[in-house]
Amino acid sequence: MTPTPAVGKDTMHQNPPPLTTTTVTVAYAGGDERRGPLTMGQANMIRCILRDDPTHINIHDVWPVPEGTSPAAVTDALRALAVRHEGLRTTFPHPPGAAPVDQVVAAEGTFTVTVLDHAELPGDPAEYAEAVARAARAGRFALEREFPMRITLLTVNGQPAYVALAFSHAVADGSAMAILREEFAELLAGKELPELTSLPPVDLAAVEASPAGLRKSEASLRYWERILRTGPQEMFAEPRGRRPGTDEEARQLTLRSRRGGRALAGAARRTGHPEATVLMAAWCALVAHRAGQDSCVTAVPSANRFHARVARSVTTTSQDALLHLDVRVPAFDALVSRTWGAVLNAYRHSQFDSVRLWEMIDRVTAERGSHFGRDVVFNDVSALPAPLLGTEMQIGGEAEQELTWGPPQALPTRMLAFTYRTAPQLHISLWAAPSVFTPEEAEGFLSGLVLLLEAAAAGDVPMEALAEVTGIRPAERGPDWLRVDGCWVAPDAVRETLGRAVGGLPVWVQVTGASGAEPDLTAYIACGDTPLKPEEAHRALTALIPAAGSGVLAPHRYVLVENPPAEPDRSDAWRRLNTINEGTGRSRQV
């Protein structure tokens, strides 16, 4: 749901133009012509492609070319990849105004390579190639006819140096780009590629549409629905936070830490769990600690290639695994053990019909009177067969630990992290929303992650000691904030938003519930002569919640009265009024 972020400075305007620009048309033939329905991953990404800014949804990569390689060898390798992988020969025909439902694989066709020849590559050559690739992301791919790779060959006096590419996210994701990059290098080295073992997209769609595939999708939807109905709707629900639907611009913060790499390896050895599990446990522990939550809900986009049939498939499998991890354990080792099972459960439920998923999200959040926020995204791509972006993946200096700030980008989440390496350095890039994290707090979060791993390598860490060990403090909320139905809520914010939703009618929100139990919210609305029903008030409030301030959920019950009491800030005064009508607000069904 979230593409690989664009990284690196835009340096193209700082560099002299190439000596010549030519376009080479490359023909390919030898594949099979096929047609079939979309895969679930394709449908998910096409939904985003038709809706989102192309610079956000298209993806890119840079492939270095070994010295001495001829331009013909480069085009031959590209041609071989197009013939080998059906996904690269796939288009998505559809009438104007409608979304595609089928994919068509061509047996033959052409693609173009733009050749930029230079006397010498300007500035930092790898950074320049990165900027060329990133610039090619601009412009929406014509799904029904365009070859899904925009290819630029950078040459020096006719000798290839880099291939800069932009991909349609409908045919490739980060893993697919890494596979193609690896195979491109092997072809240029004269190696013979092994037989394909993972399914091409048309066959993958058939598996997904089989009875077993449909049962898997249904199970995934039920898994997601349980989390959406019971989990926190915002991880970072606090007075200074914005709603999850509000994009912010966040700068990239990159950690390169040899200390972190050693600590992660040591914690994995001591606990007997894989490094990926330990890192996920540490991430979730700190996110929940910082957010002041009992659980961590985080999207894990790279989680759905764990099955052999898709492990090396050149297609997009971009669907979130949604991890819901309860962090209420005495110490970190117990959390690591719990994480293992929770991650596997999330992975098993990361294949679903994305259209039905979003219909379910809309339905459930309307019934609950909430707005599910994809607040936290953790994408561990450290196990991919090749680095995604050559300029960013280079190992840094010999410093034990460094934090560096990079360029900003639009951030549709509150917290996005990419783990690129775990050894010899722990290499993580973080984008944290400025409304929730100051620059110092963002740096403190990544530094605190290393401190937690170092402590976990030495011994079990009490969860109550996280602030002391890491220096990270939980979010501060005023005394009026309280936990309602698993979410942090500000009743005054609920009252203000409901008042706007019903056109300025007097509103009072009362907190009810037995001592020791989570409270409920009851909203009183003085209608006067205004015709209003409880379900109408609920719908009006739900419509405002995505753009409202943080901490707004719908009440459980709406009570309609005629006029406000003489003392409108006293709950007992509202309770004594005659009730005109009342009804239930949020649904609690699971």
Side-chain angles (χ1 to χ4, degrees), residues 299-463:
V300 190
S302 60
N304 40 16
R305 281 186 178 263
F306 63 96
H307 196 285
R309 66 174 175 241
V310 292
R312 292 188 62 85
S313 181
V314 173
T315 185
T316 183
T317 61
S318 292
Q319 294 186 278
D320 282 348
L322 189 66
L323 175 63
H324 184 205
L325 182 61
D326 189 333
V327 300
R328 291 174 294 183
V329 292
F332 184 70
D333 286 7
L335 184 65
V336 174
S337 298
R338 178 176 290 183
T339 301
W340 173 254
V343 167
L344 290 179
N345 203 24
Y347 286 7
R348 282 195 296 266
H349 296 101
S350 61
Q351 177 188 310
F352 44 77
D353 182 327
S354 60
V355 174
R356 290 191 59 202
L357 175 74
W358 283 104
E359 290 173 347
M360 182 269 288
I361 289 175
D362 290 343
R363 182 183 73 253
V364 169
T365 54
E367 292 171 358
R368 197 180 184 193
S370 60
H371 179 81
F372 170 68
R374 192 171 176 268
D375 267 8
V376 183
V377 181
F378 186 80
N379 207 351
D380 186 347
V381 296
S382 62
L384 292 183
L388 290 182
L389 302 172
T391 58
E392 264 305 296
M393 298 309 103
Q394 293 171 359
I395 296 178
E398 294 301 315
E400 279 289 277
Q401 182 160 303
E402 62 180 9
L403 288 165
T404 55
W405 286 97
Q409 74 167 47
L411 187 70
T413 68
R414 301 284 75 86
M415 199 175 201
L416 166 66
F418 274 72
T419 299
Y420 296 114
R421 279 199 181 91
T422 56
Q425 294 176 325
L426 180 60
H427 179 180
I428 299 176
S429 284
L430 173 70
W431 290 259
S435 65
V436 179
F437 290 85
T438 66
E440 293 76 18
E441 287 172 328
E443 291 180 352
F445 188 90
L446 288 181
S447 298
L449 181 65
V450 173
L451 291 171
L452 175 56
L453 292 173
E454 288 179 328
D460 201 2
V461 181
M463 294 296 283

Side-chain angles (χ1 to χ4, degrees), residues 96-111:
V101 295
D102 289 325
Q103 56 181 313
V104 174
V105 182
E108 58 185 28
T110 62
F111 58 86

Side-chain angles (χ1 to χ4, degrees), residues 259-282:
R259 286 173 46 195
R262 289 194 300 270
L264 178 58
R269 284 193 302 270
R270 191 187 63 76
T271 61
H273 285 277
E275 289 185 4
T277 303
V278 175
L279 183 59
M280 180 68 77

Side-chain angles (χ1 to χ4, degrees), residues 66-372:
E67 188 175 352
T69 304
S70 68
V74 172
T75 54
D76 286 347
L78 292 168
R79 179 188 293 110
L81 292 177
V83 173
R84 175 176 170 84
H85 296 291
E86 291 186 5
L88 300 184
R89 295 182 275 117
T90 297
T91 53
F92 305 92
H94 62 285
V101 295
D102 289 325
Q103 56 181 313
V104 174
V105 182
E108 58 185 28
T110 62
F111 58 86
T112 60
V113 178
T114 301
V115 182
L116 304 183
D117 192 36
H118 306 74
E120 61 180 9
L121 290 182
D124 181 331
E127 186 175 317
Y128 170 68
E130 166 77 13
V132 172
R134 189 173 62 252
R137 289 168 61 154
R140 206 176 304 276
F141 274 88
L143 295 171
E144 72 281 4
R145 66 178 186 275
E146 186 175 353
F147 190 73
M149 295 195 301
R150 295 171 182 161
I151 307 168
T152 304
L153 176 60
L154 304 180
T155 62
V156 180
N157 296 318
Q159 293 300 305
Y162 294 95
V163 180
L165 307 103
F167 292 81
S168 166
H169 217 329
V171 303
D173 54 17
S175 297
M177 289 196 304
I179 292 163
L180 291 170
R181 191 176 200 250
E182 180 183 59
E183 292 186 349
F184 176 75
E186 291 178 350
L187 287 168
L188 292 185
K191 297 180 181 178
E192 185 175 343
L193 298 181
E195 290 294 320
L196 295 173
T197 55
S198 292
L199 296 178
V202 172
D203 294 335
L204 178 58
V207 170
E208 292 175 343
S210 68
L214 294 176
R215 287 194 298 271
K216 184 177 181 66
S217 178
E218 291 296 327
S220 296
L221 293 175
R222 290 193 297 272
Y223 168 86
W224 276 68
E225 184 166 353
R226 283 195 298 273
I227 297 174
L228 292 172
R229 287 194 181 275
T230 60
Q233 293 296 287
E234 302 172 80
M235 280 306 298
F236 299 107
E238 52 188 273
R240 61 176 172 169
R242 299 187 192 179
R243 287 303 304 184
T246 306
D247 286 4
E248 298 182 61
E249 196 167 78
R251 291 180 65 196
Q252 178 184 6
L253 175 62
T254 297
L255 167 78
R256 288 183 174 90
S257 175
R258 294 182 182 275
R259 286 173 46 195
R262 289 194 300 270
L264 178 58
R269 284 193 302 270
R270 191 187 63 76
T271 61
H273 285 277
E275 289 185 4
T277 303
V278 175
L279 183 59
M280 180 68 77
W283 167 263
C284 289
L286 287 190
V287 168
H289 168 71
R290 165 62 181 78
Q293 301 278 14
D294 290 337
S295 63
C296 176
V297 177
T298 184
V300 190
S302 60
N304 40 16
R305 281 186 178 263
F306 63 96
H307 196 285
R309 66 174 175 241
V310 292
R312 292 188 62 85
S313 181
V314 173
T315 185
T316 183
T317 61
S318 292
Q319 294 186 278
D320 282 348
L322 189 66
L323 175 63
H324 184 205
L325 182 61
D326 189 333
V327 300
R328 291 174 294 183
V329 292
F332 184 70
D333 286 7
L335 184 65
V336 174
S337 298
R338 178 176 290 183
T339 301
W340 173 254
V343 167
L344 290 179
N345 203 24
Y347 286 7
R348 282 195 296 266
H349 296 101
S350 61
Q351 177 188 310
F352 44 77
D353 182 327
S354 60
V355 174
R356 290 191 59 202
L357 175 74
W358 283 104
E359 290 173 347
M360 182 269 288
I361 289 175
D362 290 343
R363 182 183 73 253
V364 169
T365 54
E367 292 171 358
R368 197 180 184 193
S370 60
H371 179 81
F372 170 68

Side-chain angles (χ1 to χ4, degrees), residues 497-511:
T497 306
L498 179 57
R500 287 191 289 115
V502 296
L505 294 174
V507 170
W508 179 257
V509 174
Q510 179 186 1
V511 179

Side-chain angles (χ1 to χ4, degrees), residues 366-367 369 498 501-502 532-546 554 558 584-585:
E367 292 171 358
L498 179 57
V502 296
L532 183 68
K533 296 179 180 179
E535 56 269 27
E536 294 171 341
H538 181 73
R539 281 198 302 269
L541 173 60
T542 301
L544 289 186
I545 285 177
Y558 297 85
T584 301

